[in-house]
Amino acid sequence: MSDNPENKVVLVTGGAGYIGSHACKLLARGGYTPVVYDSLRTGWAQAVKFGPLVQADLLDRAALDAAFAEYKPCAVMHFAALSQVGEATRDPGLYWRNNVSGSLNLVEAMLDAGCTNMVFSSTCATYGDQDGVVLDEDSAQRPLNAYGASKLAVEGILRDFGISHGLNSVIFRYFNVAGADPEAEVGEWHQPETHLIPVMIEAVAGAREALVIYGKDYPTHDGTCIRDYVHVMDLVRAHVLGLEWLLAGRGSRVFNLGTGVGFSVAEVIAQCRAGTGHRVPHSFGPRRAGDATALVSGSRRAVEELGWQQERSSLKLMIEDAWRWYQTGGYSG
Ligand code: UDP
């Protein structure tokens, strides 16, 4: 089925979630049919706007087989995962079961159905803390938490099934994804929210009292953690390029997705006014377990090999788009 050039159906696991829903929008715009496979455990039915929804769990092998039989996708974009460092540290079993066992089920189901192309969302959390060096795709992977460890395990599954069964995978290791669809059709909506920029937006909107900065004694220029923030629309554009790479038969490859520039938590907060017109109330708290000091991407490979370009990945635009989206009321209605 995947060698039929007319087949533009893509199974998008986690397509009702933050990044997956943005990917679906871009896939639909590119003439693909995104079929969302999502348990709606953390995703939103309202986010599924660009193709059909199969509401099922990755741990449900029969449901996976039925979805492949019905839709015959040419490729899978695999976003579905639990993704919170704090939760992963408290409950690693949850992460190993959902992220690793679920992905293994998915890989076996797709291969049994004759589908051999997967775009996988991995993470810079697979690298762990490396003393502030810029991380490229060949950097050592030493995850600090069960979230990063679970994603690294899935990378291993993809590599091994590539060798044994001809599975082709494009693995994207994301740095910190932020922002929202500038047209505000879809956006980031987690309950509870834990990520820095949306938490900051909630604090600006008065939905929480203040933003707590986790730690001010890190070995950075201002004592707060450094991250590399990339706009979700730029990120999902890379996914469509990765899909086309696979459909063109170019084989398996790993790409970092970030900007190559790190900002401290304090610097992100300082940009809040530019993006929202408001200052964010904030205070300092203890470090959060599992946090790396600095994660900054070397992303030249995606630029050079995929032709990826970033259009909206300035802090100001990411905060502005997140703020616009938040003001629509998100999926709360
Ligand atoms: N952070 C913070 N307060 C918050 C949420 C996040 O200080 O309420 C910090 C966190 O410690 C990290 C950075 O912001 O240094 C980015 O965290 P986030 O959870 O957004 O992404 P992660 O890097 O964990 O994937």
Side-chain angles (χ1 to χ4, degrees), residues 20-30 34 50 181 183-186 233:
S21 60
H22 289 77
C24 287
K25 176 165 178 160
L26 219 58
L27 284 168
R29 196 183 275 169
F50 310 102
D181 169 20
E183 293 162 1
E185 274 193 282
V186 286
M233 292 308 295

Side-chain angles (χ1 to χ4, degrees), residues 262-317:
F263 292 97
S264 71
V265 174
E267 287 166 342
V268 173
I269 287 173
Q271 281 293 311
C272 187
R273 185 125 190 226
T276 68
H278 303 279
R279 287 188 203 284
V280 59
H282 60 274
S283 59
F284 286 95
R287 290 185 178 198
R288 179 173 67 180
D291 269 346
T293 301
L295 292 167
V296 179
S297 160
S299 290
R300 283 213 325 274
R301 184 185 287 179
V303 173
E304 287 169 5
E305 297 185 16
L306 288 177
W308 184 47
Q309 289 183 331
Q310 298 149 27
E311 292 171 6
R312 298 190 75 79
S313 291
S314 69
L315 277 182
K316 179 174 181 288
L317 279 180

Side-chain angles (χ1 to χ4, degrees), residues 83-86 123-125 145 147 175-177 193-200 208 210-215 218 224-227 229 265 269 283 287-288 290-293 295:
S83 63
Q84 293 175 23
V85 169
T123 169
C124 63
N145 53 59
Y147 167 59
F175 284 66
N176 284 60
V177 188
E193 189 50 76
T194 64
H195 292 110
L196 179 63
I197 290 179
V199 164
M200 184 172 85
R208 66 171 70 215
L211 169 76
V212 177
I213 299 177
Y214 298 140
Y218 283 95
T224 64
C225 288
I226 291 178
R227 295 287 183 276
Y229 295 86
V265 174
I269 287 173
S283 59
R287 290 185 178 198
R288 179 173 67 180
D291 269 346
T293 301
L295 292 167

Side-chain angles (χ1 to χ4, degrees), residues 71-100:
Y71 292 105
K72 301 180 174 46
C74 64
V76 173
M77 277 195 189
H78 179 27
F79 297 97
L82 298 171
S83 63
Q84 293 175 23
V85 169
E87 181 183 57
T89 306
R90 286 191 303 275
D91 191 354
L94 189 63
Y95 277 65
W96 282 89
R97 194 167 304 104
N98 272 277
N99 294 0
V100 183

Side-chain angles (χ1 to χ4, degrees), residues 120-246:
F120 174 58
S121 68
S122 188
T123 169
C124 63
T126 60
Y127 293 117
D129 228 343
Q130 307 208 9
D131 291 334
V133 297
V134 171
L135 299 161
D136 67 28
E137 292 84 353
D138 297 322
S139 296
Q141 290 174 289
R142 293 190 289 260
L144 291 184
N145 53 59
Y147 167 59
S150 71
K151 288 287 188 172
L152 181 56
V154 179
E155 290 194 11
I157 290 172
L158 299 183
R159 182 199 56 225
D160 291 348
F161 280 81
I163 295 166
S164 65
H165 288 74
L167 176 67
N168 299 303
S169 58
V170 163
I171 294 174
F172 287 118
R173 295 189 189 132
Y174 308 162
F175 284 66
N176 284 60
V177 188
D181 169 20
E183 293 162 1
E185 274 193 282
V186 286
E188 183 168 20
W189 206 255
H190 297 118
Q191 273 174 353
E193 189 50 76
T194 64
H195 292 110
L196 179 63
I197 290 179
V199 164
M200 184 172 85
I201 297 284
E202 287 184 3
V204 166
R208 66 171 70 215
E209 216 169 278
L211 169 76
V212 177
I213 299 177
Y214 298 140
K216 59 176 176 182
D217 59 349
Y218 283 95
T220 62
H221 62 282
D222 61 16
T224 64
C225 288
I226 291 178
R227 295 287 183 276
D228 178 342
Y229 295 86
V230 56
H231 196 294
V232 64
M233 292 308 295
D234 287 341
L235 186 98
V236 297
R237 193 154 358 85
H239 285 64
V240 176
L241 294 170
L243 171 67
E244 285 164 357
W245 168 289
L246 287 174

